[in-house]
Amino acid sequence: MSDFAASLLADLRRKARSAEADVARVFVPCDAAAVAVGADEVAEAIATEAMTRGIALDIIRTGSRGALFLEPMVEVETARGRVAYGPVGVADVAGLFDAGFLTGGDDPLRLGPPEKIPFIARQKRITFARCGIVDPRSSTDYTLTGGWQGFDRALAMGPAETIETITRSGLRGRGGAGFPAGIKWKTVADTAAPQKYIVCNADEGDSGTFADRMLMEGDPFALIEGMLIAGYAVGATRGYLYIRSEYPHAIATMTAALQSARNVGRLGRSVGGAGFSFDIELRVGAGAYVCGEETALLESIEGRRGQVRAKPPLPAHKGLFGAPTVINNVLTLAAVPWILKNGDGPYAALGTSRSRGTMPVQLGGNINRGGVFEAPFGMTLGELVLEIGGGTASGRRIRAVQVGGPLGAYFPPALFDTPFDYEAFAARDGLIGHGGIVVFDDTVDMAHQARFAFAFCAHESCGKCTPCRIGSVRGVETIDRLLAGDRPADRLALIQDLCETMKFGSLCALGGFTPYPVLSAIKHFPEDFLAETQKVRMR
Amino acid sequence: MIGAWRGGIVDSKDRGVTLLSEGTRADATSFDEAALGRILARHPARQAALLPILHDVVATFRYVPAEAVPLIATHINCTRAEVHGVVTFYEDFRERPPGRHVLRLCRAEACQAMGGDALALQAERLAGCPLGETRADGKLSLEAVFCLGLCAVAPSAMLDGKLYGRLDPATLKLMIGEVLT
C-alpha cells in the first residue's frame, strides 16, 4: 500500500514536473517531533540555499515516516524513487547541495530509499501507510492514494454489513481498554434515538505515546474518513474530535483537513451523494489528563469540569448530551478505512490470539532508535526494545520499561519475552494501553518512579472518587516515610493495601490503574524500596 | 499560527515574537468588556460552548480575568459557580496573567528517563523561580507540562509555542538567557 502510494504520487509528480520545467521536489516533515529538532529551520535553509544557487525547488511538508531518531529526515524525489538523508542539520544543507542530493548523490547522511531503512522496512504499515509520504493537507493526495474508497465501500454494503465487517476484522479499541469496536458500534446502531454522536478521543495524554499526534499531523483525512464511516454505520450525523491543547500542530493540521474535506464534499450535507449528512467539530482540551477518560471527555465537551461519570449507563446508550455515542481512539478510527477498503479478512489475518491487526507501537524515553513502529501484534517486548529500538540512548544497561503510559506497569528485562498483545500483558499484571513503551536505563530509581505515579494521580485526579483523590496523596506520603526509614516494612504493606483499595474502589482507570506502576515497581525492583540509609549501605 | 507550510516557511524567531505581541497586545492586567463581548458574540449561548469561549478569552487576555466570569455565565445561562468550577479545573485557564515568556518543560516519564529532572532543576536555577511560578519581574513563567508527545526526541520543552526536542543543558541556558535579556 505505501509503496503503491509512493509510486503513484511519484508518477503523478513526474508528469506535473515535466509540464512545468525541471523543478526538484524535496520532502521535509512538519511533524511536531521533526519540528522540535529543527525541521522548519532545515526547510528554510534548503529554500535559501536553492535560491542562492539559482535552483528551482518545491519543498513539500509531509508527516513523519516515524523513524524519529533520524529526524529531521529529508527526502528527495529521483528517477529511481525517493532517497532519504538524515538526520539533517542546518549546517549540513550546503554540503548536501554540493553532494548533489537533489539527484540522490552520495553523502555521509544518505540513508538510501526510505522504505529500505531497517526501522521502516520491518514494519507493516496499515494505519500509517501514507504518513511521511503525502502532503497531509492535500485532499488530492489522499484521494490519489486510495482515500475515501473505504467509505464508498461502506455506502455500497450498507450500515449493518459495515458494522459486521468491523466486528469480523477483530479491531479493538486502541485507546487502551481494547474493547471490540464492532460491538460498540452495534450497540449504538441498535439504540433508537433521534440524535447520535461519534466522538474521537484524541486526548493522548499518556507519556510515551504520540501515535495519535503523528497520525493527525501526517494523515488527517484517514481519521476523518474513519469517523465518517462510523457515523454512517451507526446513524450519527455529528462528530466531535477532541484534541489536547498540548498538540498545537495536530490541531492546525486537523483544522485545515476538516475544512478541505468540507470543500470537496466529504463532510457536510449529503456526503457521497447518499443523502447521509455528517460533519465534525474540533474541540480543544485544556490541560486535564483525566479528560482522556471517555466519560470525563464527554463532560468536557458539554462545558463542564472533566469529572468521570459512573457507568452504567454506557456512553453507547447515554453518552454525549445524553445521546447514544461511539467514542473511539484516533488509531481505532484511522484503521477503519483500510479495513473497509481491503476487507476484514486481510486485517484479521494479522496479529495473534485475540489481538488482531497491527499496533503502532511507540518507542520513547531512553532509547537508541525511537519512533512509531507499526507491526502486527505478537512481537515480543524484547524484540521491540532491543532489536528495533536498539537499546538505550545512553548506552547503559536497560533496567526497566514502562508499557502503556503513566498507568502502565514497569517491566524488567526478565519479562522481555512477553508478546505484545492485550492478554499476554494482562497475564503478567501489565497492560499495553495505547502502545507506548518508555525505556529507562540503570540510573533509574524505581521508588522515585512509584512515588511519581502517585503524585501524578494526585495532580490529575478529577476528585470524584475518594480512593483516587485521597489515596494518591497518602501514597506519596507513605513512600516518603518508607524512604525516610520510618518503619519501612509496615509502610510497604500499607502501600500494597492502599493499591488494592484504589484498584477496586475507583470509577475510572486513573485511580484504578495507578497501582500498576506502583505494584510492578515494588514487585520487580524491591531493592529500591528500602529506607535510603539501607540503600546507601547496600551500595 | 504555528508551523510552516509549503510556500510559507515561517522564521521561528519571528514566530516567537508574533506570539508574544499577540499576547501582550491587550494589556494583560486590564479587562476589556468590549473585547469579551466580541468573543461571546462568536459563540452559541449554551454551556457546551464554555471551553471554546474560555480558550478565546485566554488567547485574548492571556488569562481569565475575574470580571469575565459573571458575563460568561450570563451568556451561557449558568451560574458563576459553574464557570468558576470549570476555570479552576483546567490548567490552561489561568486566573493570573503569565510572564512575558512562558517556558513549559515536560516532566513526564519519557523525559524523566532522559535527564528531565536535572533540566528542571537547571531551569529553576537559571530562571530564578520554581516550576509553576512567574519571576517577580514578570519576564518569564516556568510551567511543568505532562507530555508534549515528543517522547522519542526527549527531553522536550515548549518556549512561547516553539517546540524543542533533544534538549540539552547548553540549549536550555541559551533559551532562558535570551528571554531574560
Side-chain angles (χ1 to χ4, degrees), chain A residues 206-510:
Chain A
D206 289 352
S207 169
T209 65
F210 44 86
D212 293 353
R213 179 186 64 65
M214 290 188 61
L215 192 281
M216 291 188 286
E217 291 171 4
D219 190 11
F221 292 102
L223 176 56
I224 294 172
E225 187 182 353
M227 290 181 73
L228 192 58
I229 293 168
Y232 173 71
V234 306
T237 56
R238 197 161 176 75
Y240 282 87
L241 168 59
Y242 188 98
I243 309 180
R244 60 201 297 261
S245 65
E246 291 85 349
Y247 283 179
H249 291 72
I251 292 165
T253 308
M254 284 305 317
T255 303
L258 286 170
Q259 192 50 51
S260 174
R262 284 183 203 111
N263 293 345
V264 297
R266 289 294 179 171
L267 284 179
R269 283 181 183 280
S270 194
V271 183
F276 162 67
S277 298
F278 190 79
D279 209 340
I280 298 170
E281 180 176 340
L282 193 158
R283 283 301 188 92
V284 178
Y289 173 77
V290 75
C291 287
E293 196 285 330
E294 59 180 12
T295 60
L297 188 150
L298 296 178
E299 290 286 308
S300 186
I301 293 176
E302 291 181 17
R304 286 195 280 272
R305 295 162 70 88
Q307 282 202 315
V308 173
R309 296 177 186 170
K311 288 187 273 194
L314 293 171
H317 291 130
K318 282 187 78 167
L320 188 62
F321 304 115
T325 303
V326 168
I327 308 184
N328 278 143
N329 173 255
V330 172
L331 301 180
T332 317
L333 289 162
V336 164
W338 192 95
I339 294 169
L340 265 295
K341 177 170 175 266
N342 298 279
D344 51 272
Y347 194 79
L350 301 166
T352 173
S353 63
R354 286 175 53 211
S355 303
R356 312 310 310 181
T358 60
M359 182 72 198
V361 175
Q362 300 125 82
L363 300 169
N366 197 333
I367 194 157
N368 205 10
R369 294 189 288 270
V372 158
F373 186 88
E374 182 173 359
F377 285 99
M379 284 178 79
T380 66
L381 183 57
E383 284 173 318
L384 287 164
V385 168
L386 300 173
E387 284 178 35
I388 307 300
T392 61
S394 62
R396 299 180 66 101
R397 193 172 59 85
I398 295 178
R399 180 137 191 258
V401 296
Q402 187 178 28
V403 182
L407 308 175
Y410 285 100
F411 275 17
L415 296 182
F416 274 7
D417 61 338
T418 314
F420 205 83
D421 80 54
Y422 293 101
E423 279 71 31
F425 265 73
R428 289 184 163 179
D429 296 322
L431 50 105
I432 64 169
H434 186 45
I437 299 179
V438 173
V439 178
F440 293 80
D441 71 13
D442 58 0
T443 58
V444 69
D445 178 343
M446 297 308 296
H448 178 79
Q449 298 308 121
R451 185 189 189 278
F452 176 78
F454 277 131
F456 182 74
C457 180
H459 186 260
E460 300 293 346
S461 177
C462 81
K464 185 144 177 163
C465 321
T466 312
C468 174
R469 185 186 66 245
I470 307 287
S472 54
V473 177
R474 295 289 174 260
V476 172
E477 293 167 356
T478 311
I479 289 189
D480 284 345
R481 288 194 187 121
L482 180 157
L483 296 174
D486 178 4
R487 290 183 292 145
D490 293 353
R491 300 299 177 193
L492 204 57
L494 199 57
I495 290 167
Q496 281 165 325
D497 186 57
L498 174 65
C499 283
E500 282 287 289
T501 306
M502 288 178 71
K503 192 169 175 180
F504 296 105
S506 304
L507 272 178
C508 84
L510 181 50

Side-chain angles (χ1 to χ4, degrees), chain A residues 13 30 32-33 35-37 40-41 43-44 47 58-61 68-71 135-137 205-210 213 240 242 244-249 252 283-288 290-291 300-307 321 363-366 370-371 393 402 406 410 438-440 448-449 452 456 459-460 462, chain B residues 1-15 43-44 46-55 76 78 81-93 104 106-115 117 144-158 161-167:
Chain A
R13 282 178 170 141
C30 61
V35 169
V37 293
D40 283 356
E41 289 79 2
E44 191 186 359
D58 194 2
I59 297 177
I60 294 145
R61 306 301 300 266
L68 295 176
F69 60 102
L70 295 174
E71 295 292 358
D135 174 349
R137 300 200 185 194
D206 289 352
S207 169
T209 65
F210 44 86
R213 179 186 64 65
Y240 282 87
Y242 188 98
R244 60 201 297 261
S245 65
E246 291 85 349
Y247 283 179
H249 291 72
R283 283 301 188 92
V284 178
V290 75
C291 287
S300 186
I301 293 176
E302 291 181 17
R304 286 195 280 272
R305 295 162 70 88
Q307 282 202 315
F321 304 115
L363 300 169
N366 197 333
Q402 187 178 28
Y410 285 100
V438 173
V439 178
F440 293 80
H448 178 79
Q449 298 308 121
F452 176 78
F456 182 74
H459 186 260
E460 300 293 346
C462 81
Chain B
M1 162 186 116
I2 288 168
W5 219 258
R6 177 201 293 225
I9 295 154
V10 185
D11 177 58
S12 55
K13 287 203 189 80
D14 286 345
R15 194 171 52 205
H43 293 279
R46 57 194 196 112
Q47 185 161 357
L50 183 50
L51 265 75
I53 288 172
L54 290 171
H55 274 303
I76 61 171
C78 68
E82 274 175 285
V83 176
H84 176 76
V86 169
V87 170
T88 51
F89 185 85
Y90 296 95
E91 296 275 330
D92 290 1
F93 304 141
R104 308 181 80 189
C106 179
R107 300 293 295 116
E109 289 91 335
C111 289
Q112 292 171 15
M114 286 298 281
D117 290 358
V145 60
F146 291 96
C147 200
L148 294 166
L150 306 174
C151 321
V153 291
S156 67
M158 185 190 259
K162 182 173 162 58
L163 295 173
Y164 291 84
R166 298 177 194 144
L167 188 60

